[in-house]
Amino acid sequence: MHSQKERLSYDRLIARAQFYQEKSLELEKKLVFAEELIEKLEKEAADSSKDTEIQALEAERVRLTEEVAHLKNELGQAKSIDYDKRAADYEALLAEVQKEINDKENKLDLSQQKIRALEKKLSLQGRPDPFMKKAEEDEEENIFVKKDYECLCLFDYSIIMNENQSGFIKGSFIIENTGLITLQNPSVCLRFNPGEANVLKGKIYSSENHEVNQDNLANFHWMFIDNDWAQEAKERGEIWICPIREMIIEPGEKSVIQDYQIPFKKEVIGNLTVEAFVFFNKQQYKVKAANHISINF
């Protein structure tokens, strides 16, 4: 009976030991699985950390790239602004230099015109009046005709008269080269009868009535001669006119004194006659106008 009990205890002990062995093996398996799981999780965690780090680095790279692009853009704008400013400064400087050059050219042109006018006055100064003598005392063929030269001069005019028989003569004086040789720089003498009627208005430059400047000279082609003998001629009833600039009249061409006006009053002057004579100083050629102005009351 005692032996049977011991046998049962021993079997129980073996069963219990086997149970514990199986339980231990199962636990070991679970431990290995847990360790593998832990290793896997650690690896995944490491990979996840690397991904996060890579993402952070990628974000930083994108930020730095954008910042570099922004800085490049600002640098480009700064260079463009600096270039535009320099270009504007150069253009302003060039404009200022060009203005200064234009001003000096205008002053030079004005000086040259003054010199030409003075030279013309000097060339006429002291020269005898080519029409000092009365026409009827000379032989017209010798006075007004010269071989190889031919010129037609005439008045083109109209008379505007008021009811009180005063008014003005308005017109143009035409100088046409009908010959074969070039004519240069005509001087025109207008002889008034009576002499006290010698008043001529229009687009004719006068140093007494006009300020000498570039704009004034540019608006005129003719000027009154105001040297000593021209003043003496004016006292005899003559007015002398010459070109402001060099004037060349080629064969077949014309030169015109345009839009002159001659005022008159019957009670002051009575009848009026205006004759014209043209003198080409360089060619020593003289011609009398083909017609004249005449008012008879």
Side-chain angles (χ1 to χ4, degrees), residues 81-122:
I81 292 171
D82 182 65
Y83 173 79
D84 292 341
K85 183 176 182 302
R86 289 187 178 184
D89 291 341
Y90 285 136
E91 288 178 357
L93 179 61
L94 288 174
E96 184 177 351
V97 171
Q98 185 63 47
K99 182 178 181 298
E100 184 176 352
I101 290 173
N102 292 338
D103 290 341
K104 289 184 177 179
E105 287 180 347
N106 290 335
K107 290 180 180 178
L108 178 61
D109 186 49
L110 177 60
S111 298
Q112 289 176 343
Q113 292 190 24
K114 288 181 179 179
I115 289 171
R116 286 195 293 269
L118 289 172
E119 287 177 344
K120 185 179 291 294
K121 290 181 181 180
L122 288 174

Side-chain angles (χ1 to χ4, degrees), residues 89-258:
D89 291 341
Y90 285 136
E91 288 178 357
L93 179 61
L94 288 174
E96 184 177 351
V97 171
Q98 185 63 47
K99 182 178 181 298
E100 184 176 352
I101 290 173
N102 292 338
D103 290 341
K104 289 184 177 179
E105 287 180 347
N106 290 335
K107 290 180 180 178
L108 178 61
D109 186 49
L110 177 60
S111 298
Q112 289 176 343
Q113 292 190 24
K114 288 181 179 179
I115 289 171
R116 286 195 293 269
L118 289 172
E119 287 177 344
K120 185 179 291 294
K121 290 181 181 180
L122 288 174
S123 67
L124 295 173
Q125 186 73 33
R127 186 179 298 276
D129 181 350
F131 305 108
M132 187 72 74
K133 297 181 180 180
K134 294 182 179 179
E136 58 269 21
E137 296 177 358
D138 298 313
E139 297 179 4
E140 288 198 1
E141 290 79 11
N142 294 330
I143 295 179
F144 303 114
V145 178
K146 187 173 181 179
K147 187 179 180 181
D148 300 328
Y149 294 97
E150 188 172 354
C151 181
L152 176 63
C153 304
L154 56 89
F155 290 99
D156 180 13
Y157 68 96
S158 60
I159 300 173
I160 301 173
M161 187 179 301
N162 300 322
E163 294 180 356
N164 58 1
Q165 294 186 324
S166 65
F168 59 92
I169 302 163
K170 181 178 180 180
S172 301
F173 185 72
I174 302 169
I175 304 170
E176 181 178 1
N177 186 351
T178 56
L180 302 176
I181 298 177
T182 299
L183 297 173
Q184 300 179 27
N185 301 326
S187 296
V188 179
C189 170
L190 300 178
R191 180 179 294 170
F192 290 75
N193 185 20
E196 57 269 22
N198 62 345
V199 178
L200 184 67
K201 299 180 180 180
K203 296 182 67 174
I204 304 172
Y205 180 81
S206 170
S207 58
E208 296 179 356
N209 300 328
H210 302 96
E211 182 181 355
V212 179
N213 58 53
Q214 180 67 29
D215 294 334
N216 273 343
L217 290 175
N219 294 328
F220 294 93
H221 298 288
W222 298 87
M223 62 180 288
F224 291 105
I225 300 175
D226 59 358
N227 57 26
D228 292 340
W229 65 255
Q231 186 62 38
E232 294 176 2
K234 187 173 183 180
E235 294 174 0
R236 300 192 307 269
E238 296 176 355
I239 294 178
W240 281 81
I241 304 168
C242 66
I244 289 180
R245 290 167 285 275
E246 184 77 9
M247 180 176 291
I248 305 296
I249 308 176
E250 298 291 347
E253 293 185 352
K254 299 177 182 179
S255 181
V256 182
I257 302 174
Q258 295 182 333

